[in-house]
Amino acid sequence: WSTPYLTKIRTSGSTFKEVVIFSGGYDINQDIQDLDDRAAADSMGNDVFIVDALTGHRIWSLQSSALGGAASNGTSSVSHSIPGGLRILDMNQDGAVDRVYFTDTAAQVWRLEFPVGPSYDLKGARLIKLADLGGSGSNSRMFFNEPDVALLKHKGKPWLAISVGSGYRA
């Protein structure tokens, strides 16, 4: 598991729920030094979880179609473990999480967008792959940390800059 983050999600127009959000963690099959011998996909750690902070009940999971995760929409293609934390943002400043950025051990950068109304049902969450920077052979990269995200302005328009470091830490 990654570091858990205590935050809030919006469940209706004026109702919030305190939750804990974290990623699935690390799959030890990434410890294999010869890149050609590694599995094409990890069998664990390739998930993002939202848990009710008061009861511990799992509310949502990226991979769980039963919980309305991205897999239920046929869009979850996260097949590698997510050992780093998640960068959690409230872009519209309403007090609830609406964006999550994360990376995986295949050096992919992802954005998870939660609904911001009129329906706040997590089944409407969208997963977007922003970059695939893994490379191959001796140029292969792995991401073990959460990305840093900074808001900046360019010609009066807001932009997000995403920074992440790579390396082999097994």
Side-chain angles (χ1 to χ4, degrees), residues 37-145:
D37 291 339
R38 287 191 192 151
D42 290 339
S43 60
M44 58 189 273
N46 57 340
D47 210 341
V48 174
F49 301 96
I50 300 178
V51 175
D52 187 307
L54 301 176
T55 67
H57 177 73
R58 186 171 63 166
I59 298 171
W60 187 88
S61 164
L62 178 66
Q63 299 291 355
S64 176
S65 58
L67 295 171
S72 66
N73 302 323
T75 60
S76 181
S77 55
V78 178
S79 58
H80 289 80
S81 56
I82 308 166
L86 308 167
R87 184 60 62 189
I88 296 173
L89 301 175
D90 175 8
M91 295 300 296
N92 63 4
Q93 299 179 14
D94 69 350
V97 133
D98 49 43
R99 274 198 194 172
V100 176
Y101 290 86
F102 63 93
T103 61
D104 63 24
T105 54
Q108 298 173 106
V109 181
W110 300 90
R111 179 174 72 215
L112 183 58
E113 296 178 348
F114 295 126
V116 293
S119 169
Y120 294 94
D121 188 348
L122 291 176
K123 290 179 182 175
R126 293 184 344 144
L127 178 67
I128 301 160
K129 185 192 303 186
L130 298 177
D132 187 349
L133 306 169
S136 62
S138 62
N139 294 322
S140 181
R141 286 180 202 85
M142 300 172 76
F143 293 150
F144 290 89
N145 295 313

Side-chain angles (χ1 to χ4, degrees), residues 16-37:
F16 294 87
K17 179 182 277 296
E18 288 193 347
V19 297
V20 177
I21 301 178
F22 55 95
S23 67
Y26 184 70
D27 190 328
I28 61 169
N29 75 13
Q30 294 296 325
D31 289 346
I32 299 170
Q33 289 186 2
D34 188 347
L35 299 175
D36 296 329
D37 291 339

